[in-house]
Amino acid sequence: YDLNGLSDVAWSADGRWLVLGDQRGVSLIDADSLQERGRYWGETLAPIEGLSVGHSVLAAHQDGVIVELEIPGLKRTGNDQIACCGQVRGVDRDPRSGDLVCGCAGTCEPVWLWRWSGVRSEDPEVRADASIRGTEGTLSVDPTGRWLVTTSALGGATLWDLRSEEPAAHFSERALRQVAWDIEADRLYAVDVDGRAWVWSVSSLVQ
């Protein structure tokens, strides 16, 4: 697989599938054989900026269009949504509720976090939350649905408690490009824009 133009990477919870987003679409990779098992060619010129994997793949184009893709094959289900009026910077799913969390840097607001229940809903309830903010960076919900990380393209990150929707900690002076969690949500892993890897203990951040 040509990694030039790679914009996002996501794993399925069972570790079977690796999903790669790039400037032109999405590829589904079998983790055992490393063979491509599906390809989605984006129908817009906007690159893929965010991926989330559950029973299906949610792929967010930079222009705000989110498409749902079947596993395997990556055929469109037709359950497309418009995330915002501007530029998507990242998507993730809350494992507790199934809500889609979308970070946006658009013309509606400099940066918002959008959430709605059920991509399959014909008219999803979109709840803009002014208290949870990033700055054109990435975002990630932990496996328990307790914590959310938003990052800034200028440097720095915030750990949010999703129960109170209040910030629990601010950390890192680096601009973080990718964020991941261990399965127990005890540790937070990240790669910065210079390619360096970082790890934080969540308990140390919230002390």
Side-chain angles (χ1 to χ4, degrees):
Y1 186 85
D2 184 1
L3 296 182
N4 291 328
L6 186 69
S7 57
D8 200 12
V9 177
W11 286 91
S12 63
D14 59 7
R16 180 180 179 185
W17 303 108
L18 171 64
V19 185
L20 306 176
D22 57 40
Q23 298 297 307
R24 299 185 63 189
V26 180
S27 289
L28 182 71
I29 308 297
D30 186 306
D32 292 329
S33 66
L34 298 182
Q35 298 297 309
E36 187 176 79
R37 301 301 185 192
R39 176 69 185 177
Y40 161 71
W41 295 98
E43 296 183 8
T44 73
L45 296 178
I48 300 296
E49 284 289 341
L51 295 166
S52 177
V53 185
H55 297 297
S56 59
V57 173
L58 299 179
H61 287 273
Q62 189 183 75
D63 61 3
V65 175
I66 296 180
V67 298
E68 185 179 40
L69 308 170
E70 295 177 353
I71 296 178
L74 297 187
K75 179 181 177 181
R76 291 176 70 169
T77 66
N79 295 315
D80 300 353
Q81 302 291 347
I82 304 298
C84 65
C85 59
Q87 296 186 347
V88 168
R89 286 293 182 260
V91 295
D92 206 351
R93 269 189 262 212
D94 184 335
R96 299 171 305 167
S97 64
D99 285 6
L100 182 68
V101 184
C102 179
C104 171
T107 57
C108 48
E109 287 289 338
V111 181
W112 279 89
L113 181 110
W114 300 84
R115 294 189 298 163
W116 65 72
S117 298
V119 171
R120 290 180 174 83
S121 171
E122 293 182 2
D123 186 18
E125 176 189 359
V126 180
R127 303 185 300 278
D129 187 344
S131 66
I132 299 181
R133 287 182 170 270
T135 309
E136 300 189 28
T138 187
L139 52 83
S140 181
V141 180
D142 85 277
T144 69
R146 167 77 185 277
W147 306 107
L148 167 73
V149 169
T150 60
T151 71
S152 168
L154 302 177
T158 302
L159 179 70
W160 299 86
D161 187 335
L162 288 177
R163 297 182 304 185
S164 63
E165 298 192 343
E166 295 292 335
H170 301 283
F171 64 100
S172 179
E173 297 180 356
R174 308 292 303 171
L176 304 180
R177 185 171 182 178
Q178 296 288 341
V179 178
W181 300 82
D182 69 1
I183 195 170
E184 301 295 335
D186 294 327
R187 291 183 179 274
L188 175 66
Y189 304 88
V191 177
D192 67 24
V193 293
D194 296 320
R196 287 178 288 190
W198 301 82
V199 59
W200 291 270
S201 166
V202 175
S203 60
S204 68
L205 292 176
V206 299
Q207 285 181 348

